[in-house]
Amino acid sequence: MLKVTHPFDALMDITARPPTVFVKGEGSYLWDDAGKRYLDFIQGWAVNCLGHAPAVMAEAIAAQARLLITPSPAYYNAASLKLAKALVDLSCFDQVFFANSGAEANEGAIKLARKYGTLRNGGAFEIITFAGGFHGRTLATMSASGKKAFEPLFEPKVPGFRKARLNDLASVKELINGNTVAVMLEPIQGEAGVWPTTDKFLQDLRALTKEHGLLLIVDEIQTGVGRTGKLFHYEHAGITPDIMTLGKGIGGGVPLAALLATEKASCFEHGDQGGTFNGNPLMCAVGLAVLEQVSEPAFLKAAADAGLFLEAELQKLAARHGLGEVRGRGLLLALDLKLPIGPAIVAQALDAGLLLNSPQPDALRFMPALNVTREEIAEMIGQLDTILTKCGAARRVP
Ligand code: PLP
């Protein structure tokens, strides 16, 4: 038996983590067990759209926990009905299936597309996805992802995914054949380093998929729920996808995800889909409280404005330090560092009490709370400025 010598040892070692242990959060700040405060521009990986420990979530959790935690997914419950209705009212979709994680929602989207192929498209099952895409860590969603590091893992993969290139319609056209049932993509490839699709590409893709009778699936697990300044990213391009998945921000920090489909695409039959915790009232009540806040036009406008402010400040910082472009939308932005210094910057930022993410060695990703203030953005920029100055000095030393 493995001898546990340190509390960290009781957890499977699935990623390199710093030895910091967080014990408290409030808004844009986190505290570790030594009382050190950190400004958080990761926010649970674009999850905590209202920041850490918002009262509205704490109240929703406490109120629902006193009322009903779960009656079993074999029965309706009031909270999931309310949240489903709210999502349907706020989007172009007609029906919702709730899940517990983004990967599970995407797994559901893949199953739904295959079901649609079986029922309505002559058994078509292939889904065109994109190089660099990330859809989760179940076997099917890893297979759907276009992440290089996944390629040698857990073979054989789930078949039926062909990879096109982002913003390259011809590369999608080339892959369409009689077995194709859907095209699935992230409107902004987050994990790959924040690579946005153009609105034109999404519009052309919608037209192409319609022309070929294919479903268009948008994975809005990272871009949905206000992250890009609109409630859902597809609104920027003015398109109507057939299927959308949500995760991360929809629960504001609790495990909740959703699979949404138009009436045409919503074709699951009894026995096709389910799960013990899916649509449980505790998480759905929290999701409803979060959605009520985030979907307020004034909240979305403030988030979009904060995104523009952050973008402008990052551009100034890039100009000062000779860095590359700022890309992304709303409060999902990346700064191109031009050199593989991302991990070093992240480590120095942690020391300085700032949480940053480097999804690729040459990029930093910024995904603060959607209610982040200008003061907090200015504080982050100031800290990053100091770190970049030190890095620049270090780079000049032979
Ligand atoms: N899809 C996208 C676009 C994501 O960014 C992620 C997570 O980062 C996932 C799917 C997987 O979500 P989860 O980690 O909740 O399974």
Side-chain angles (χ1 to χ4, degrees):
M1 209 183 124
L2 185 73
K3 184 141 170 26
V4 173
T5 53
H6 188 280
F8 294 164
D9 296 342
L11 284 175
M12 287 194 194
D13 190 20
I14 51 111
T15 189
R17 295 179 171 116
T20 321
V21 179
F22 289 114
V23 291
K24 195 179 99 164
E26 194 183 314
S28 284
Y29 295 93
L30 272 173
W31 283 262
D32 70 15
D33 57 358
K36 179 174 165 183
R37 191 177 85 148
Y38 300 78
L39 176 60
D40 187 1
F41 268 64
I42 294 180
Q43 287 288 357
W45 246 254
V47 167
N48 308 319
C49 42
L50 303 178
H52 289 286
V56 68
M57 285 180 66
E59 279 153 22
I61 291 170
Q64 187 62 45
R66 278 194 291 268
L67 207 57
L68 175 65
I69 292 179
T70 192
S72 142
Y75 302 104
Y76 289 116
N77 72 75
S80 80
L81 293 175
K82 277 189 209 157
L83 181 57
K85 173 83 170 63
L87 285 169
V88 164
D89 287 347
L90 288 164
S91 73
C92 64
F93 301 97
D94 299 302
Q95 290 195 311
V96 183
F97 170 78
F98 290 113
N100 309 293
S101 70
E104 192 192 358
N106 279 340
E107 185 88 17
I110 293 163
K111 285 170 66 179
L112 190 60
R114 285 190 174 197
K115 181 78 189 188
Y116 182 89
T118 304
L119 294 179
R120 296 176 194 163
N121 198 353
F125 64 96
E126 278 186 6
I127 301 179
I128 297 173
T129 57
F130 288 81
F134 180 81
H135 299 293
R137 290 174 181 279
T138 63
L139 204 46
T141 54
M142 283 180 91
S143 310
S145 299
K147 186 174 159 136
K148 274 257 167 272
F150 282 179
E151 276 173 18
L153 301 179
F154 312 119
E155 290 294 306
K157 293 281 189 329
V158 175
F161 298 100
R162 289 164 161 253
K163 312 281 156 53
R165 290 181 299 276
L166 208 64
N167 291 323
D168 180 348
L169 199 70
S171 76
V172 181
K173 273 188 198 161
E174 267 167 32
L175 297 179
I176 297 175
N177 63 53
N179 285 328
T180 314
V181 71
V183 176
M184 174 172 177
L185 82 168
E186 302 163 77
I188 298 176
Q189 287 190 343
E191 299 305 302
V194 187
W195 294 102
T197 52
T198 63
D199 291 347
K200 167 97 172 56
F201 177 69
L202 287 180
Q203 288 153 4
D204 290 349
L205 194 59
R206 178 65 287 192
L208 182 73
T209 46
K210 269 205 178 129
E211 187 193 321
H212 289 268
L214 308 179
L215 298 174
L216 180 62
I217 306 172
V218 286
D219 173 347
E220 293 232 22
I221 284 158
Q222 196 158 141
T223 55
V225 196
R227 178 58 48 192
T228 68
K230 292 210 182 275
L231 192 55
F232 307 114
H233 183 288
Y234 72 80
E235 296 170 40
H236 289 291
I239 59 162
T240 305
D242 302 293
I243 295 174
M244 172 172 76
T245 51
L246 297 174
K248 294 185 182 281
I250 191 184
V254 301
L256 177 67
L259 162 63
L260 294 90
T262 57
E263 189 185 3
K264 178 185 98 172
S266 188
C267 59
F268 277 143
E269 294 172 310
H270 289 185
D272 287 343
Q273 187 66 333
T276 302
F277 296 116
N278 297 37
N280 74 83
L282 189 60
M283 295 308 129
C284 288
V286 182
L288 188 64
V290 171
L291 192 64
E292 276 169 0
Q293 292 243 321
V294 175
S295 63
E296 275 296 319
F299 184 96
L300 285 170
K301 163 101 178 47
D305 288 348
L308 291 175
F309 181 67
L310 175 58
E311 191 176 345
E313 290 299 303
L314 287 172
Q315 272 158 357
K316 283 190 226 159
L317 196 69
R320 265 204 302 283
H321 293 275
L323 306 175
E325 65 169 357
V326 177
R327 51 178 189 261
R329 209 161 200 171
L331 286 167
L332 180 57
L333 296 174
L335 173 61
D336 178 359
L337 298 165
K338 293 215 270 194
L339 285 171
I341 52 172
I345 292 177
V346 165
Q348 289 187 43
L350 184 76
D351 273 355
L354 171 64
L355 299 184
L356 291 178
N357 166 248
S358 170
Q360 299 295 327
D362 61 354
L364 292 177
R365 175 172 44 171
F366 304 86
M367 38 196 168
L370 300 184
N371 54 9
V372 65
T373 64
R374 283 182 175 230
E375 291 71 30
E376 288 158 352
I377 291 173
E379 184 184 340
M380 183 280 290
I381 293 284
Q383 279 178 293
L384 186 53
D385 198 5
T386 308
I387 294 163
L388 285 168
T389 304
K390 273 195 221 152
C391 284
R395 265 189 276 157
R396 280 193 294 276
V397 174

